[in-house]
Amino acid sequence: MWRRVVRVKGRGAVPKAVHEDEKCQRFAANLRAEREARGRTQAELAKTCVVSTSVISNIESLQRAPTVLQGEALDKAFGLADVFARAAREIRGEEFPEQFGKFSDYEATATSLFYSEHSLVPGMFQTEDYARAVLRTRRLKKPDEIERQVSARMARQEILAVANDRRPTVVHALIDEAVLRRPMAPAPVMYRQLMHLVEASSLPNMLIAVVPYGLGGHDGLLGAFAMARQPDLTTIVWLDDVAGGRTTDDPAMVEEAKMTFERLSMDALSRGQSRDLIAGFAEELWNGPASAGARALTAATTAPTA
């Protein structure tokens, strides 16, 4: 059972969504209480849970919200039955749809991530304003629900940061050229979003490649998907669709996703070509005097690489 909960006060620039969430505060306080009652350091607990020390530290200091998988690992480490896992489900329940919530847990533990998007910038690379514009197209009831989901999407991106005690997550994203041209938000927001992609693509653990218009039709247009490769080399797949998507580890689906990603990678532009194209579109389509919306819908003549 939970031990006595002590309210945790704010600390510096802690993300508001986590810092002010009472469920996160209770989780952090009880995690610390359980750990200290057993005389275990953060590093010792992290080793048992097969996570980095920074994961335990950041959860306790309200720098990040726990995932369900982390809650399950804590239950196992403490010999508890669905205590931390249940609390993590309650925290995550309002942030993501149930099926994607499962995949986000695998994202947080992945050594490598792969994204294929034909309509939108992958959530892992979205700026706050772009994410807000995307979420406003959904049938959400209240503005505060949109803001919670924006905060959750930004929190997902924490895994891209390089921690001192672990290797950075390797990310390979394939983005259809149409994504760069689609006016999802006002021009200034689109410009900042594309420049954010340029900056991200310069990092050594990030590979962002554009699938050009010149390729014509391709498998990636059938639906967006993502893959999370785990430390034990198993791969979990997220398949996006109008019904809310699904998370699967079915071998046949995993293999099909891998083959589709490999085929698209062969037809995509190189890292350098993609970076130049994204930067060029940022200036030409979203930072100029002409109508961004009209120019964004103009067909491109970009040819695929040989």
Side-chain angles (χ1 to χ4, degrees):
M1 299 297 293
W2 289 118
R3 298 183 184 276
R4 185 174 63 88
V5 176
V6 179
R7 181 158 310 265
V8 181
K9 296 182 179 180
R11 305 179 184 180
V14 177
K16 182 178 180 180
V18 176
H19 162 65
E20 293 189 351
D21 190 318
E22 292 186 0
K23 293 177 182 179
C24 288
Q25 292 174 352
R26 288 196 297 270
F27 192 104
N30 282 289
L31 170 56
R32 186 180 303 106
E34 290 285 353
R35 178 178 60 77
E36 292 178 349
R38 290 165 170 75
R40 303 174 74 173
T41 66
Q42 291 180 340
E44 290 170 341
L45 179 58
K47 185 176 181 180
T48 302
C49 294
V50 195
V51 297
S52 66
T53 303
S54 64
V55 168
I56 303 299
S57 174
N58 288 341
I59 292 175
E60 289 191 1
S61 62
L62 295 176
Q63 297 290 332
R64 67 184 296 170
T67 69
V68 177
L69 287 179
Q70 290 162 357
E72 292 173 348
L74 290 169
D75 279 339
K76 184 176 180 181
F78 293 139
L80 301 174
D82 198 34
V83 176
F84 283 95
R86 183 177 67 251
R89 286 196 298 272
E90 292 177 357
I91 291 171
R92 293 279 172 174
E94 296 181 350
E95 296 178 351
F96 303 116
E98 180 180 358
Q99 285 298 320
F100 188 78
K102 295 177 181 178
F103 183 76
S104 70
D105 287 342
Y106 288 108
E107 270 186 330
T109 58
T111 56
S112 301
L113 293 167
F114 305 84
Y115 299 98
S116 175
E117 276 283 357
H118 57 76
S119 298
L120 301 169
V121 171
M124 195 59 73
F125 293 109
Q126 290 179 6
T127 64
E128 185 172 332
D129 288 337
Y130 183 94
R132 186 172 291 108
V134 170
L135 290 169
R136 281 175 178 163
T137 67
R138 312 284 173 83
R139 294 183 178 180
L140 300 175
K141 296 181 180 180
K142 300 178 181 179
D144 62 336
E145 186 174 0
I146 293 176
E147 292 307 311
R148 283 199 302 271
Q149 293 196 6
V150 169
S151 295
R153 192 160 295 188
M154 296 302 102
R156 279 174 60 205
Q157 298 176 7
E158 293 176 2
I159 64 176
L160 301 183
V162 179
N164 293 330
D165 58 347
R166 66 173 174 84
R167 298 180 62 183
T169 305
V170 176
V171 183
H172 186 175
L174 297 175
I175 303 175
D176 192 90
E177 186 176 323
V179 172
L180 309 176
R181 295 172 166 271
R182 185 179 300 279
M184 281 301 303
V189 174
M190 293 299 300
Y191 176 78
R192 289 192 294 270
Q193 175 62 76
L194 266 60
M195 293 309 297
H196 180 67
L197 288 175
V198 171
E199 294 173 4
S201 69
S202 299
L203 299 175
N205 59 314
M206 307 287 170
L207 175 56
I208 298 176
V210 175
V211 180
Y213 263 149
L215 182 61
H218 56 78
D219 289 355
L221 298 178
L222 298 176
F225 64 94
M227 299 182 290
R229 181 179 297 160
Q230 301 300 294
D232 64 0
L233 300 183
T234 59
T235 298
I236 309 299
V237 172
W238 162 254
L239 301 171
D240 200 4
D241 59 42
V242 71
R246 53 180 165 158
T247 297
T248 180
D249 61 355
D250 178 80
M253 292 185 178
V254 170
E255 185 61 24
E256 182 61 31
K258 287 181 178 179
M259 291 177 63
T260 299
F261 198 91
E262 289 176 2
R263 288 195 297 269
L264 289 175
S265 295
M266 294 177 63
D267 290 322
L269 303 179
S270 69
R271 178 200 294 263
Q273 290 173 321
S274 297
R275 187 184 302 123
D276 290 345
L277 185 68
I278 296 170
F281 280 0
E283 294 295 339
E284 178 187 353
L285 302 180
W286 307 116
N287 199 35
S291 170
R295 298 180 71 181
L297 296 177
T298 302
T301 58
T302 308
T305 55

